[in-house]
Amino acid sequence: MNERQRDLFLYEWSRSRTPGQMASSLRGAFIGALGGVLFTLMLIGDIGGDRGNYTGLSAIIPFIERGGALLVMSVGAFAGIGFVLANRVFASQEAMYQSMLATGAQPPAQKPVMQGADRWPAIAVGIAFAVIAGFIAFVWITLG
């Protein structure tokens, strides 16, 4: 990490940390809960099939029971994962921020101007993300 990258981190994190660790963790839990709802919506089409003795409109009762159970379990699990991961990332970023402050670095008053060479880590992550997303889309389309 060069000085401009360090200054950019200090500038960004000095502003991002203001809500606090709990607020960030709760935001992660909320995003995880939304992921649980999306997960349920993706799997809900595979629920049903066995209607048992239900006929007519009451045939949706097993669908509601199984879909509701899936919704409760997936929202809870994904929210828990989101909470834990957001909490961990916040703690890691805060520890890095505090260690930089302990070495004498100060957050700059203005956002530092980045050069092309300073952005290569972000570009590499973006390319890796695009490749992985492309493979996932390929598998999803191919396997239906």
Side-chain angles (χ1 to χ4, degrees):
M1 177 181 296
N2 64 33
E3 288 183 22
R4 285 184 301 276
Q5 291 170 330
R6 182 201 65 199
D7 288 345
L8 179 64
F9 171 76
L10 289 170
Y11 176 82
E12 294 288 339
W13 187 248
S14 68
R15 282 147 181 78
S16 298
R17 67 191 287 266
T18 53
Q21 188 167 2
M22 185 54 67
S24 295
S25 298
L26 290 175
R27 188 180 310 137
F30 178 72
I31 292 170
L34 291 177
V37 170
L38 179 64
F39 180 78
T40 300
L41 291 175
M42 290 175 66
L43 292 182
I44 202 128
D46 294 336
I47 295 176
D50 180 29
R51 295 192 305 188
N53 295 329
Y54 296 104
T55 58
L57 190 57
S58 66
I60 65 170
I61 292 175
F63 181 75
I64 293 172
E65 288 175 350
R66 293 181 190 137
L70 178 63
L71 181 66
V72 167
M73 288 188 294
S74 63
V75 166
F78 279 77
I81 291 169
F83 181 86
V84 168
L85 290 178
N87 192 19
R88 183 174 175 164
V89 167
F90 187 95
S92 171
Q93 296 288 330
E94 183 65 19
M96 189 172 12
Y97 179 75
Q98 293 300 329
S99 72
M100 286 181 189
L101 291 181
T103 62
Q106 293 295 323
Q110 294 179 339
K111 187 174 184 176
V113 177
M114 302 298 283
Q115 297 175 355
D118 298 329
R119 298 175 192 254
W120 70 265
I123 292 170
V125 168
I127 291 171
F129 176 78
V131 168
I132 292 170
F135 282 130
I136 291 172
F138 172 76
V139 169
W140 192 11
I141 291 169
T142 304
L143 299 179

